[in-house]
Amino acid sequence: MPNSDQVLPIVDITSSSAAQQVYDAATTLGFFFINGTDFTADEVDNIFALSKSFFALPYEEKQKFAIQSHNRGYSRMNKEKLDLSTNGDPKEAFNFGQFDNDGKPIQSLPSIFAHNELTIAKHAQKCHATCNKVLDLLAEALQIDPDRGGNQWFSSRHNLNQYSGSILRFLYYPAQDDADLNHVRAGAHTDYGSVTLLFQRPGQEGLEVRSPVTGEWLPIPALQARHDKSCPPIVVNIADQLSFWSAGVLKSALHRVKSAETVQARRRDRYSVAYFCHPADDTLLEPVPSLVISSVQDRGPADPGNQYKVLTAGEHLAKRLAAAYDWEK
């Protein structure tokens, strides 16, 4: 199996070659690490501490904020089914929707989060700004017509002042005493939005991405920070809506979470924090005015499941969530 440190490049998004590096990664495996962000180690540690405190609460307290079809709130063990052939994922999650300009959430929060809402809001806003930076780099590499939006073509459709499906998500995978190394903690899936950021903890591995070339599942390490005060490299992956927009040029790869050998041997819980970046709900997933994409011979449909209608971002998200949670039933 290839060495995952070599499979995933680490891109400094402040470098002069960042656009080409991000594009190369996005058009092959669809996963890469980034450095050069504004996150500090303390900020990330605080977010993980809040997450751990919440998931330690009694089930009854957490269930008061049960997730609904708006995709905000607490998702209990086995509630979400990312791989529709399974009985659900043995994990818990809490989803935060958007925050207003004053850092106020659009949802009711448990007291542990309500008392720290500004900290959480700032983290979500910083995540969104980082995603927009990645989107600008991709737009630069795609040579989008300057008269049509140029390098801001994607990010202009990800304005926080517009309603979208963007979600900050705290994730908890409890240690499973009876699990073996084939135990899947989050089923194989692609993400629903445009770009995802993932913060991991060293020693709590388990994320795997499927190679589109070999079909192998490649383990993604949780890398250490370069120095004590810096944030460790953040995993970035391309998601479905960006793939649809680009006629498949940008790859939305299958990934999952398993019981990594070192984690399972030590019966360790796993925590991660993800930010799922989505364009405004009314954004059409129409072809990007890109010189690079226009050179692709087989453009394919905007939505492989709906060839005669260009979906909006909101419509695509609603379809995927309904399937994952059985809300359509």
Side-chain angles (χ1 to χ4, degrees):
M1 180 176 290
N3 186 307
S4 52
D5 287 323
Q6 298 173 6
V7 169
L8 289 196
I10 303 176
V11 180
D12 182 342
I13 59 174
T14 65
S15 73
S16 59
S17 61
Q20 188 61 49
Q21 291 182 64
V22 167
Y23 176 80
D24 289 345
T27 55
T28 50
L29 191 57
F31 272 71
F32 50 100
F33 288 105
I34 59 170
N35 270 329
T37 68
D38 294 331
F39 297 99
T40 68
D42 286 345
E43 289 172 342
V44 174
D45 288 346
N46 287 340
I47 288 295
F48 271 98
L50 285 172
S51 172
K52 190 171 183 178
S53 295
F54 170 75
F55 290 119
L57 294 174
Y59 169 76
E60 294 75 18
E61 289 297 311
K62 295 180 287 190
Q63 189 62 10
K64 291 176 182 178
F65 300 88
I67 196 166
Q68 303 294 327
S69 58
H70 48 48
N71 198 31
R72 299 188 293 272
Y74 170 67
S75 178
R76 58 172 169 76
M77 287 278 286
N78 302 307
K79 172 69 175 176
E80 185 178 30
K81 187 186 297 185
L82 290 173
D83 180 345
L84 300 183
S85 67
T86 70
N87 294 321
D89 298 337
K91 70 175 191 295
E92 299 178 41
F94 191 94
N95 290 3
F96 300 89
Q98 291 171 266
F99 294 81
D100 65 22
N101 291 332
D102 295 323
K104 297 297 181 183
I106 62 173
Q107 69 199 88
S108 296
L109 294 178
S111 59
I112 191 170
F113 294 151
H115 293 154
N116 294 276
E117 61 186 23
L118 188 57
T119 296
I120 298 168
K122 286 181 176 179
H123 185 78
Q125 290 159 1
K126 192 173 286 191
C127 284
H128 198 86
T130 301
C131 288
N132 274 345
K133 172 64 175 176
V134 171
L135 290 168
D136 287 348
L137 292 170
L138 285 169
E140 177 184 342
L142 287 170
Q143 303 175 43
I144 294 178
D145 185 347
D147 293 333
R148 303 281 297 277
N151 293 355
Q152 284 75 51
W153 196 91
F154 291 122
S155 59
S156 65
R157 289 158 172 79
H158 290 74
N159 191 325
L160 277 178
N161 292 323
Q162 298 173 286
Y163 189 80
S164 78
S166 293
I167 290 290
L168 174 66
R169 182 172 234 205
F170 292 174
L171 286 150
Y172 170 49
Y173 303 84
Q176 303 290 300
D177 291 338
D178 58 347
D180 58 30
L181 295 181
N182 293 314
H183 184 71
V184 175
R185 307 175 94 173
H189 65 287
T190 55
D191 288 347
Y192 311 154
S194 52
V195 174
T196 301
L197 302 184
L198 181 68
F199 300 81
Q200 301 188 98
R201 302 272 86 176
Q204 297 181 20
E205 287 77 11
L207 176 64
E208 296 181 341
V209 58
R210 187 177 182 184
S211 167
V213 177
T214 67
E216 290 181 281
W217 287 101
L218 308 174
I220 307 304
L223 300 182
Q224 299 281 355
R226 290 177 294 182
H227 52 79
D228 290 344
K229 293 187 178 181
S230 69
C231 172
I234 303 166
V235 178
V236 177
N237 67 276
I238 305 303
D240 288 349
Q241 292 176 1
L242 206 57
S243 183
F244 294 166
W245 255 335
S246 65
V249 171
L250 306 178
K251 308 301 183 186
S252 180
L254 274 175
H255 53 286
R256 66 186 182 186
V257 176
K258 286 191 70 178
S259 291
E261 184 172 357
T262 55
V263 175
Q264 181 58 31
R266 298 169 186 169
R267 297 292 190 269
R268 283 184 173 175
D269 295 335
R270 181 179 189 268
Y271 295 87
S272 63
V273 174
Y275 185 79
F276 300 100
C277 190
H278 288 250
D281 275 356
D282 60 358
T283 302
L284 287 172
L285 301 178
E286 57 192 352
V288 179
S290 158
L291 293 175
V292 174
I293 294 174
S294 65
S295 68
V296 177
Q297 296 299 312
D298 182 13
R299 295 183 61 85
D303 175 5
N306 195 341
Q307 298 185 24
Y308 303 104
K309 176 187 176 184
V310 177
L311 294 181
T312 65
E315 288 170 337
H316 167 74
L317 176 60
K319 288 175 61 177
R320 292 295 300 271
L321 290 173
Y325 287 99
D326 277 342
W327 283 328
E328 59 191 353
K329 297 180 181 179

